Amino acid sequence: TRAPDPDDLLAFPAIELFVERATAASDSFRLDQSNAGAVAQLCRVLDGVPLAIELAAARVASLSVQSMVSLLGTTLETLIRGRRCAPSRHRTLHAVLNWSYELLSPTEQQVLQGLSVFRGTFDLESAIAVTACDELPRERVIDSFLDLCAKSLVMPERVEDHRRHRLLYVTRLFAERALADSSSSRQVRHRHARLMLSRVVDAGRAVTDVFRYHWTPERVAMTADLRAAVHWTLVEDNESVL
């Protein structure tokens, strides 16, 4: 695949912001053919969120962009460890997310934690299937889900004629950490795995000819979630019985 042209990338505001802040943080940083693809990927992973981009750019003096892309796949620490000399407006991303999180009701927090298990987009029914339980009935999940949408913590995503939702990458990482610290983590992940199993079974029943298999937006989004469910079931919780 041909590497993107650095000059073309600067037309995107998120990449322009990253380059401006990275150049200020490190005299040796330059956007060129060797790092253009990684810079584009990093800004895409961070969903163009300005604060997240600025915090990432501040790390180029100690980490390559390629290393940051790899590290962001598993941890927020690359961003939340701010430098001592960082300006006051560069409060850590963790503090900003924590502030927003603490303003939520306990039910909204619980629903947001549950939604963090999704790796792709999801619809309302999927959100209910993963987060609803005896202590959190369907009606309360729906109310909290709509409130999270209104607060821009759950983002709308329209694929063709399908209305779906997603969490911004940094929001998902934060909520996933909160879920890991909660007592309901195993139950939520188990419900997610069962949901993925039922979706695979339904998709298999719908196939009449493998050569005419239609990849709907739901099935495309399901791929990453299926991988996550399989990994959790076989690697992290290999005693689980679906």
Side-chain angles (χ1 to χ4, degrees), residues 78-146:
T78 308
L79 293 181
I80 66 177
R81 286 199 302 267
R83 297 188 308 172
R84 292 180 182 178
C85 60
S88 59
R89 62 189 176 86
H90 273 188
R91 294 169 296 173
T92 66
L93 183 58
H94 180 273
V96 174
L97 290 169
N98 190 65
W99 175 78
S100 299
Y101 182 78
E102 291 298 326
L103 292 176
L104 301 177
S105 69
T107 301
E108 290 170 338
Q109 291 179 358
Q110 189 174 348
V111 171
L112 185 64
Q113 289 175 20
L115 297 178
S116 71
V117 300
F118 288 106
R119 294 298 181 266
T121 60
F122 50 87
D123 57 19
L124 177 57
E125 286 303 317
S126 296
I128 294 170
V130 166
T131 57
C133 57
D134 291 342
E135 299 79 24
L136 191 60
R138 176 187 178 94
E139 293 74 18
R140 288 174 60 193
V141 168
I142 294 174
D143 288 342
S144 294
F145 184 88
L146 295 176

Side-chain angles (χ1 to χ4, degrees), residues 18-63:
F18 180 88
V19 171
E20 177 185 334
R21 296 294 188 262
T23 302
S26 173
D27 293 337
S28 62
F29 177 82
R30 295 290 183 275
L31 180 68
D32 54 33
Q33 288 288 345
S34 67
N35 61 17
V39 170
Q41 184 179 359
L42 180 65
C43 292
R44 184 166 58 251
V45 163
L46 295 175
D47 293 297
V49 177
L51 179 59
I53 289 173
E54 292 196 27
L55 289 169
R59 307 299 295 171
V60 298
S62 54
L63 282 173

Side-chain angles (χ1 to χ4, degrees), residues 89-240:
R89 62 189 176 86
H90 273 188
R91 294 169 296 173
T92 66
L93 183 58
H94 180 273
V96 174
L97 290 169
N98 190 65
W99 175 78
S100 299
Y101 182 78
E102 291 298 326
L103 292 176
L104 301 177
S105 69
T107 301
E108 290 170 338
Q109 291 179 358
Q110 189 174 348
V111 171
L112 185 64
Q113 289 175 20
L115 297 178
S116 71
V117 300
F118 288 106
R119 294 298 181 266
T121 60
F122 50 87
D123 57 19
L124 177 57
E125 286 303 317
S126 296
I128 294 170
V130 166
T131 57
C133 57
D134 291 342
E135 299 79 24
L136 191 60
R138 176 187 178 94
E139 293 74 18
R140 288 174 60 193
V141 168
I142 294 174
D143 288 342
S144 294
F145 184 88
L146 295 176
D147 288 340
L148 291 171
C149 290
K151 295 172 182 177
S152 297
L153 288 170
V154 174
M155 308 300 293
E157 188 95 347
R158 182 172 289 278
V159 182
E160 297 177 358
D161 294 328
H162 301 263
R163 183 180 296 277
R164 300 183 66 80
H165 300 81
R166 69 183 179 100
L167 299 186
L168 293 179
Y169 184 79
V170 291
T171 304
R172 180 176 67 77
L173 287 181
F174 180 90
E176 191 173 34
R177 174 174 292 184
L179 176 65
D181 292 337
S182 74
S183 60
S184 61
S185 177
R186 187 175 185 277
Q187 291 82 359
V188 170
R189 293 189 179 279
H190 189 265
R191 290 195 292 268
H192 177 254
R194 289 188 65 87
L195 174 66
M196 291 302 106
L197 176 61
S198 68
R199 292 291 168 82
V200 169
V201 171
D202 291 343
R205 288 171 178 165
V207 174
T208 56
D209 184 339
V210 69
F211 297 106
R212 292 187 303 209
Y213 189 85
H214 179 51
W215 282 93
T216 64
E218 290 87 351
R219 289 171 181 163
V220 172
M222 186 177 71
T223 305
D225 279 299
L226 182 58
R227 290 197 193 101
V230 169
H231 177 82
W232 176 79
T233 304
L234 299 181
V235 178
E236 299 181 33
D237 192 58
N238 54 27
E239 295 182 357
S240 178

